[in-house]
Each structure stands twice: as C-alpha cells, then as structure tokens.
Amino acid sequence: MNRQTLPGLFISHGSPMLALDPEQVGPALHRLSINLPQPVAIIVMSAHWESETLEVSTATRPETWHDFRGFPKELYDIRYPAPGAIELSERLLTRFADADIHANANSTRPRDHGVWMPLLHMYPDADIPVIEISLPMTGSAHDIYTIGQILAELRQEQILLIGSGSITHNLSELSWQKQHLDTPLWASKFRNYIVQKLQQQDFEAVLNWESLPHLERNHPTLEHLAPLFFAMGTGHRFSIVHSSFSMGTLGMDIYRFD
C-alpha cells in the first residue's frame, strides 16, 4: 500500500469542556481530519504529561484519564478507547536511542485529556492506534524541537504527529462564565507575534521563548507552549488551520507544519 505524507500539527486543546461544547474548534478539528488521509497511527506530545526524561507510552490499551476536577458528570463518562501500538512505540525508543536521546518506556500511563479531547473531534471512532510521548521539561526548547525533527520522517508513513497544548494559557485570566469577550491586547499581540515569526520561518525567534512579548501573562508556566516546539520540528512550511479565542484569553489556534 502506498502511504501518503501527513503534516505535523499543533493543537490548542482548550478547556476540558471542549469535549461537550465544541465551540468553533470542534468543527475545525473535524474538517481537518476529513481533509487528511486517515492516519495509520497518531503520536501526541501532550502538555499534561510532564517528565524529567522523555517517556514513550507502551500501553496496549491506555485508560482514559479525566485529569481535572469540578466539571459536569457527563464529561467523566467519556471514554476514548483507541489502542496503543507497541511495535511503533519500540521504533520510537530505538530512534531516540540512535539520536543519543534517553527515553523510557511507560506501560502504565493513562491517556490524559490533552490527547483524547482533540482526537474525540477528529477521529471519534477511536479506531486509530495512538501513542503518547511525554514533555521533557528539563530539556530546552531546542531539545523539544529536536524530538519533532527526529520523528518528522514518520509523516511519510501516514503517521500523524501532534503537539497538544495551547497558544495562550493563563487560567487566572479566563472568564469562565462569559464565552464571547474581547481579547485583550496582551493575548492577541503574543499570538500574532508567534504567527508572524512562523510565517517568516523565523523559528529561532519562537524557540527563544524568553523574549516573546507578554510571555508571563500568556504562559505563567511553559508546559502548554512547549508542544508547539515539538510540532515546529516536524515540518517547516507553516499554515494556520484555525484561529480563535475562548473565554476572552484562551487561544484556540491550530497550526499545520508540512
């Protein structure tokens, strides 16, 4: 069978409520999935699996983890029972070892909402194997970018690579009760700066995250921005799939790297 090349993606996965109230993002994810060749497997680096050393899920059927509190009961009833892919997981571990990157196998890690929530809208049948890899927060932005580069060739095997985080993520600034609010300049300027640099293929400006405008206001901690670095490593031709803000300041952008 001839395999087609898939892009790398950065997906802003938003609030867990996206699973029940898809807003604009759920339809955008669905449209994206039907316009792509169906993946033979999906690899996701999620903001919600932070680690010291890179880890690769080797579970054959990871549990659906509702790694949040205080939401409606129906959200906790959702399951995403996509299988793992042990042979592909072993290939990833070998690739990392060959690149002198230490990575551990993890057979017990459940699947967090940074993985299953966007995939619920893209591939609701949960019949495509999914492997989660961790976000090694002891590494630099360039290290995370390199992980994307190491896996980039897998796109040619019809394997979809996803960095799942958020283009802006400051929970203390969200207006939970009001969905349609004007976006403050500090959030829009941050998002627009990143888009401008990616369009100019000035990836270095984004990887030097300490210099990003209004960084601390948009990302008091780095874990939701870091999956963008992974996605950037998977391809150099950047395009915007979707752009919006939720609850005033939560950026819901989706980016594609070919």
Side-chain angles (χ1 to χ4, degrees):
M1 181 179 68
N2 291 327
R3 297 278 174 89
Q4 300 183 61
T5 300
L6 290 175
L9 301 174
F10 172 70
I11 296 176
S12 298
H13 60 248
S15 158
M17 284 300 293
L18 184 69
L20 300 177
D21 181 10
E23 301 182 27
Q24 302 175 55
V25 183
L29 288 168
H30 176 68
R31 288 192 300 272
L32 175 61
S33 67
I34 63 177
N35 287 320
L36 292 174
Q38 178 155 310
V40 298
I42 302 169
I43 299 169
V44 185
M45 176 183 279
S46 168
H48 293 281
W49 186 5
E50 296 179 70
S51 62
E52 292 190 7
T53 299
L54 179 63
E55 297 191 30
V56 175
S57 172
T58 56
T60 57
R61 187 73 66 168
E63 294 291 329
T64 302
W65 185 17
H66 303 86
D67 51 325
F68 41 76
R69 287 186 284 178
F71 289 92
K73 178 184 180 300
E74 55 264 41
L75 193 56
Y76 299 90
D77 293 335
I78 292 174
R79 297 291 181 272
Y80 193 80
I86 186 62
E87 291 184 6
L88 181 55
S89 295
E90 293 293 342
R91 284 182 62 196
L92 300 190
L93 291 165
T94 299
R95 274 181 172 265
F96 293 136
D98 290 345
D100 293 324
I101 293 178
H102 181 68
N104 294 324
N106 187 321
S107 63
T108 61
R109 167 82 184 188
R111 193 171 277 153
D112 61 69
H113 77 277
V115 179
W116 61 260
M117 194 164 54
L119 294 183
L120 197 67
H121 295 288
M122 297 180 77
Y123 305 106
D125 292 338
D127 56 354
I128 300 171
V130 178
I131 296 173
E132 183 174 4
I133 63 175
S134 72
L135 176 60
M137 292 302 289
T138 54
S140 68
H142 289 81
D143 292 335
I144 297 168
Y145 176 79
T146 298
I147 294 170
Q149 289 182 308
I150 291 168
L151 301 188
E153 286 185 2
L154 297 176
R155 293 173 38 227
Q156 299 172 25
E157 300 180 31
Q158 214 162 312
I159 295 172
L160 186 62
L161 306 179
I162 297 175
S164 177
S166 192
I167 193 61
T168 65
H169 190 265
N170 185 342
L171 299 184
S172 68
E173 295 278 2
L174 299 186
S175 298
W176 290 92
Q177 305 305 321
K178 298 178 181 179
Q179 291 294 322
H180 304 291
L181 298 172
D182 290 337
T183 300
L185 283 177
W186 55 263
S188 60
K189 284 184 175 181
F190 178 86
R191 179 264 175 199
N192 292 343
Y193 179 88
I194 287 181
V195 166
Q196 179 188 51
K197 294 304 178 183
L198 293 175
Q199 288 173 332
Q200 295 170 347
Q201 294 197 331
D202 186 359
F203 284 21
E204 197 64 27
V206 180
L207 293 173
N208 291 326
W209 54 268
E210 298 97 331
S211 301
L212 295 174
H214 308 289
L215 172 71
E216 291 185 5
R217 194 89 184 262
N218 286 281
H219 288 281
T221 55
L222 197 63
E223 79 286 339
H224 275 75
L225 183 63
L228 174 61
F229 309 147
F230 168 75
M232 288 163 56
T234 66
H236 286 285
R237 197 172 74 225
F238 164 79
S239 58
I240 300 172
V241 175
H242 172 78
S243 182
S244 66
F245 280 86
S246 177
M247 294 180 281
T249 65
L250 186 61
M252 298 303 300
D253 286 18
I254 304 168
Y255 302 149
R256 174 173 175 158
F257 297 89
D258 288 284

